[in-house]
Amino acid sequence: MAGQTVVTPGRPLTLPTSRRSLTFLDATWVGAFAPNHTLRGELMWGRDRVPVPSNLNAGSSSDLIRVKAKPMVGWHLQSTWNLGAEWQLFARTESFDPDLQRDGDAIQGWAIGARRWCTPSQTLTFSVEQFRGAFFAPRAEHSVWTLRYQLR
């Protein structure tokens, strides 16, 4: 069986060749519910290889079966409020299930944040994100706090 070899610390892992097919649908509604409010959503579904955690790098044939293309789905919905020309608030909810044939592997998340335009090409963003997945160990929830300066 042909495949792709991925070099990982410790030993290489060969992933079997598989048919990958993803479809994306996205929409943006500017002026949703108020002139300064925007809703944006994205939906993805299809088949792809399940991400390989580092503990599967044993390279046995039973591990290779677990990385075949599986049906998956993911989505997010973001709501944004413009508070004048310089400030923006946003909230997002999201989900990703990398294997619809297996229970308990979906990841859910939410985020809130604020963005300030320092100049038309520079922004400063602060956000808090929370992710939940039953397979995260040793905790089921993880928080990410981000302070980002962006220059375009």
Side-chain angles (χ1 to χ4, degrees):
M1 170 177 8
Q4 174 183 3
T5 300
V6 179
V7 177
T8 57
R11 75 181 88 191
L13 173 67
T14 300
L15 303 178
T17 300
S18 58
R19 183 172 178 262
R20 302 169 74 193
S21 171
L22 295 171
T23 303
F24 293 86
L25 176 66
D26 68 86
T28 301
W29 181 11
V30 178
F33 310 115
N36 61 341
H37 182 238
T38 299
L39 278 177
R40 182 181 189 293
E42 185 172 330
L43 173 65
M44 177 276 301
W45 69 94
R47 293 182 66 82
D48 202 353
R49 292 187 298 247
V50 177
V52 181
S54 61
N55 64 347
L56 292 181
N57 287 344
S60 72
S61 60
S62 63
D63 290 338
L64 295 178
I65 292 169
R66 296 182 70 181
V67 295
K68 286 184 178 176
K70 301 282 186 166
M72 58 180 53
V73 66
W75 60 269
H76 75 255
L77 180 64
Q78 180 164 306
S79 184
T80 305
W81 296 269
N82 292 318
L83 305 176
E86 294 180 350
W87 285 95
Q88 186 179 69
L89 299 177
F90 58 89
R92 181 179 68 245
T93 183
E94 61 190 291
S95 179
F96 175 61
D97 190 339
D99 185 353
L100 292 173
Q101 297 172 332
R102 194 171 89 188
D103 291 334
D105 63 345
I107 301 169
Q108 289 82 36
W110 60 263
I112 57 172
R115 179 175 296 118
R116 183 177 189 282
W117 272 266
C118 304
T119 70
S121 62
Q122 298 176 55
T123 60
L124 185 63
T125 303
F126 174 73
S127 63
V128 177
E129 298 173 284
Q130 180 82 40
F131 296 100
R132 182 175 200 55
F135 58 89
F136 287 154
R139 298 184 326 241
E141 293 183 358
H142 291 274
S143 298
V144 179
W145 296 61
T146 305
L147 180 62
R148 174 184 297 149
Y149 171 76
Q150 186 172 357
L151 174 64
R152 296 191 224 190

